[in-house]
Amino acid sequence: MIPKVIEMEKKLMQTYLYDFYGELLTEHQRTVYEDFVLNDFSLSEIAQEEGISRQGVHDLVKRCDRTLEGYEKKLHLLERFLDMKEKVTRIRTLSRNYQGKQEAAVMEEIASISSQILEEL
């Protein structure tokens, strides 16, 4: 069961990276990568469709992974997005569940998180 979870996390990260940096790939790379990651086609199905070997598809997907990860290491757009998403989620949780708590403390935390977000923008 653990390998399945890891595989799902890997697919999610591949999807996020593609969403942020996919336009920087060539058209052929985008087509193959979309089929593998987004459309969940097998290597064999893509190979047959593209007229290349299964190994060629495998190598292309790995090369795209490295390329997209390289963009993220340089630009950190996905990291910033996930951080922002976490902060907004925390604000939403605080604002929905503040009844019965000290309103001033909740509002102070919301203001703090909001300030962090604004500084990062």
Side-chain angles (χ1 to χ4, degrees), residues 62-76:
K62 290 297 176 196
R63 192 166 42 254
C64 288
D65 280 338
R66 284 192 305 274
T67 300
L68 296 174
E69 289 167 3
Y71 291 139
E72 176 59 17
K73 283 180 184 174
K74 291 176 184 166
L75 301 172
H76 306 284

Side-chain angles (χ1 to χ4, degrees), residues 9-20:
E9 289 176 5
K10 181 180 177 184
K11 283 282 190 187
L12 179 60
M13 288 309 293
Q14 287 175 311
T15 301
Y16 273 139
L17 288 170
Y18 182 78
D19 285 346
F20 279 89

Side-chain angles (χ1 to χ4, degrees), residues 13-99:
M13 288 309 293
Q14 287 175 311
T15 301
Y16 273 139
L17 288 170
Y18 182 78
D19 285 346
F20 279 89
Y21 306 111
E23 289 298 316
L24 300 173
L25 299 174
T26 67
E27 185 176 337
H28 178 65
Q29 288 172 324
R30 281 194 310 269
T31 300
V32 171
Y33 202 75
E34 283 178 9
D35 282 347
F36 184 73
V37 174
L38 305 178
N39 300 328
D40 205 27
F41 289 178
S42 71
L43 296 175
S44 298
E45 290 172 321
I46 299 168
Q48 185 176 11
E49 183 177 304
E50 294 295 319
I52 57 178
S53 70
R54 184 184 178 285
Q55 184 63 45
V57 173
H58 177 269
D59 293 345
L60 182 59
V61 169
K62 290 297 176 196
R63 192 166 42 254
C64 288
D65 280 338
R66 284 192 305 274
T67 300
L68 296 174
E69 289 167 3
Y71 291 139
E72 176 59 17
K73 283 180 184 174
K74 291 176 184 166
L75 301 172
H76 306 284
L77 297 177
L78 177 56
E79 178 184 333
R80 290 181 195 147
F81 167 78
L82 293 175
D83 181 57
M84 192 79 57
K85 183 178 176 183
E86 182 179 315
K87 288 175 181 171
V88 170
T89 300
R90 179 71 181 138
I91 289 173
R92 180 194 288 159
T93 300
L94 286 168
S95 65
R96 287 184 176 169
N97 300 322
Y98 79 94
Q99 296 105 358

Side-chain angles (χ1 to χ4, degrees), residues 2-13:
I2 299 293
K4 186 76 165 171
V5 171
I6 293 170
E7 185 63 30
M8 288 171 50
E9 289 176 5
K10 181 180 177 184
K11 283 282 190 187
L12 179 60
M13 288 309 293

